[in-house]
Amino acid sequence: MIQNIIAKRADIALLITRLIIGGIFIFAGWMKVTDMTMTVSQFQMMNIPTFLTYIVSYGELIGGILLVLGIWTSYVSFFLLIIMIVAVFLTFSLGFGVYSMPLAVAAGILAIYGCGAGKYKILSRFN
């Protein structure tokens, strides 16, 4: 009985985490994709090639949607974790106030990667 309650709480917590983190990536990706000219110029200032700008921008948008739905969670969370690690690395010299956001998102992604999608998801395969 107590184990069922704990398992249900964990599944609900994973769902909420996926919704929040996925929502962050949907918003961030959408902002990048809707103004690719600005996004490319910002990424070029950080010496990031244009093709990677497109991969990151569309990867964040699509990855966020997949996270919310619970589809291919392991692959998506690994991909997004790499993006967040690079974001922390690129913003680290700007101080904690700047790199704390990508660090917190990376922690949420790491939790999803480690625990999987939980019970409430669209697909069971590859999660």
Side-chain angles (χ1 to χ4, degrees), residues 20-41:
I20 292 170
I21 299 294
I24 289 169
F25 278 107
I26 291 169
F27 178 77
W30 182 255
M31 292 294 104
K32 289 176 180 77
V33 166
T34 56
D35 194 356
M36 282 306 290
T37 304
M38 183 186 71
T39 303
V40 167
S41 67

Side-chain angles (χ1 to χ4, degrees), residues 82-96:
I82 291 169
I83 291 174
M84 288 294 90
I85 290 169
V86 171
V88 170
F89 176 76
L90 291 173
T91 59
F92 190 79
S93 64
L94 302 173
F96 184 74

Side-chain angles (χ1 to χ4, degrees), residues 20-114:
I20 292 170
I21 299 294
I24 289 169
F25 278 107
I26 291 169
F27 178 77
W30 182 255
M31 292 294 104
K32 289 176 180 77
V33 166
T34 56
D35 194 356
M36 282 306 290
T37 304
M38 183 186 71
T39 303
V40 167
S41 67
Q42 287 178 337
F43 276 54
Q44 283 177 341
M45 286 190 281
M46 295 181 284
N47 296 318
I48 298 172
T50 302
F51 79 95
L52 283 179
T53 304
Y54 280 89
I55 290 172
V56 168
S57 300
Y58 283 97
E60 286 182 359
L61 177 61
I62 296 166
I65 293 168
L66 293 174
L67 271 184
V68 166
L69 296 175
I71 299 173
W72 300 317
T73 310
S74 295
Y75 299 120
V76 171
S77 58
F78 183 76
F79 172 75
L80 294 174
L81 182 60
I82 291 169
I83 291 174
M84 288 294 90
I85 290 169
V86 171
V88 170
F89 176 76
L90 291 173
T91 59
F92 190 79
S93 64
L94 302 173
F96 184 74
V98 177
Y99 77 82
S100 61
M101 179 62 153
L103 185 63
V105 173
I109 286 290
L110 186 59
I112 294 168
Y113 180 73

